[in-house]
Amino acid sequence: MKIAISARSASLESNFDTRFGRAPLFVIYDTDSKEVSSCNNTQNLQAAQGAGIQTAQNVANAGAQAVVSGHCGPKAFTVLTAAGVTVYQAKAATVQDVIRQFENGELVAMNSADVEGHWV
Amino acid sequence: MKLAIASGKGGTGKTTLAVALATLLPGCRLLDADVEEPNARLFVNGDEIDQREVTMPIPVVDPAACRACGACVRFCKFNALALAGGKILVFEELCHGCGGCSLVCPTRAIHEKPLPIGALSTILNDTWSLVEGRLNVGRMAAPLVIRRLLAQANKTGETIIDCPPGTSCNMVTAVRDADYTILVTEATAFGLQDLSLAVNTMRKLKKRFGVIINRADLGDDRVRRYCADESVKIHLEIPFSREIAQAIANGKTMLDGAPEFEAQLRSVLAQTGMGGIA
């Protein structure tokens, strides 16, 4: 299973980015093969509006079945749910920390958005 | 003729001036284009004779005809559409009503439904009329309401447009039909900063304009110096007046508080060409 983790740069050592829609990129981690890749999100980082909606499609198109971020707004949550992507919320310093928490089953799936739109 | 009353900074006295000028032009129509917070109605005592809804076309996707190709999603620059799980999702609050999605759909799966986003209210006063544009709370398409409002301008007589503050799309839309625009400012650093933005906007739009300095004795000389340096005409300076403030607070016009300004306001109208005087 592929999980997309909002991050500042494309490595396991990268800082975890708590923003979903305006994260600069997502580290894509395959829990089966342990392969690491990334998915650029710069275009949505600069979107005037609807960044969360575009980002949700972006990570779904990258093949992620789960997303881990710090927060998720209502529109992004709607798109991710429609795309069959599970959203997990984490508190962590680095992408590596997030992966460890995920693999240890410490993360809980969100069943609704936790912030209003336009949360920065 | 259409005279717009705009500003950069908010709270400089656009509505105060617009209402006072309207009372000097029998048969005049005042359009309150500050659709996010219209307030000219506070100064009108007459009856509302008409109210009409302003709607915006919003896409509706027919799932039977949609092939989930994503052409509409790629077209929408406002991210109001998303393709997820083989379905198109519509986020109405982000839509600007351009209709492009229905045009690019190869299977004609998108039609449009009207979404109420605001209202136009017409109120008759004894000598003039007000049409107030109002955008519903939570909606973003203010320019659309303003465009509908501008269509209510007097066909033959005079129209005054009370514009929204700032220099964003809302203000640009409100001044676009004006033959002349008065920028109301105050003699402060804040007033000057926002006035200079408004002056630059008017120049980019290639519009004729001049300045009125309100509360001209509170502050300093910098707006006057700026106008001199930039060759911007100052039509009038209105000093701070307790009588004007009291009249406004009581829902009356500045001329009720300071009738001595009537001659000067008539002169401003003549300078701008309003009332067929120039």
Side-chain angles (χ1 to χ4, degrees), chain A residues 1-4 20 26 55-68 72 76-88 109-111, chain B residues 84-85:
Chain A
M1 161 187 201
K2 281 184 179 177
I3 60 174
F20 175 71
F26 287 80
T55 303
Q57 293 172 100
N58 194 17
V59 296
N61 290 339
Q65 290 134 291
V67 157
V68 188
C72 184
F77 192 84
T78 300
V79 175
L80 289 169
T81 304
V85 179
T86 314
V87 189
Y88 293 88
M110 297 168 67
N111 46 33

Side-chain angles (χ1 to χ4, degrees), chain B residues 7-79:
Chain B
S7 71
K9 185 180 174 299
T12 55
K14 287 180 295 300
T15 303
T16 296
L17 188 73
V19 170
L21 292 175
T23 64
L24 298 178
L25 294 165
C28 166
R29 173 154 273 187
L30 175 63
L31 303 178
D32 191 347
D34 190 3
V35 300
E36 290 177 338
E37 49 265 312
N39 64 347
R41 186 195 278 248
L42 296 171
F43 304 99
V44 179
N45 296 315
D47 294 328
E48 184 172 303
I49 57 160
D50 185 58
Q51 189 179 62
R52 60 187 70 182
E53 204 167 58
V54 177
T55 62
M56 183 170 82
I58 291 287
V60 180
V61 182
D62 172 7
C66 175
R67 293 199 313 238
C69 69
C72 55
V73 175
R74 287 189 295 278
F75 178 83
C76 183
K77 294 294 173 274
F78 297 106
N79 298 334

Side-chain angles (χ1 to χ4, degrees), chain B residues 159-226:
Chain B
T159 300
I160 294 176
I161 304 158
D162 186 11
C163 297
T167 50
S168 68
C169 305
N170 297 3
M171 178 267 201
V172 169
T173 304
V175 302
R176 69 177 199 171
D177 287 354
D179 299 295
Y180 195 88
T181 300
I182 292 175
L183 301 174
V184 187
T185 188
E186 58 187 30
T188 62
F190 211 167
L192 173 59
Q193 164 62 25
D194 287 3
L195 173 67
S196 67
L197 295 174
V199 165
N200 291 339
T201 303
M202 298 308 293
R203 285 182 171 157
K204 279 225 163 105
L205 294 171
K206 298 186 167 44
K207 291 297 221 177
R208 296 169 61 222
F209 66 96
V211 164
I212 287 182
I213 308 177
N214 193 15
R215 299 186 289 267
D217 51 341
L218 302 183
D220 55 33
D221 209 33
R222 64 183 94 196
V223 169
R224 271 180 222 103
R225 279 186 276 124
Y226 167 83

Side-chain angles (χ1 to χ4, degrees), chain A residues 44 47-51 53-54 57 61 74-76 78-80 82-84 118, chain B residues 73 76-87 89 91 93-96 140:
Chain A
N44 301 321
Q49 62 173 34
I53 294 169
Q54 286 296 313
Q57 293 172 100
N61 290 339
K75 298 191 191 76
T78 300
V79 175
L80 289 169
H118 300 272
Chain B
V73 175
C76 183
K77 294 294 173 274
F78 297 106
N79 298 334
L81 297 162
L83 173 58
K87 280 194 319 188
L89 307 177
F91 293 91
E93 60 271 44
L94 299 187
C95 177
H96 285 228
M140 296 202 282

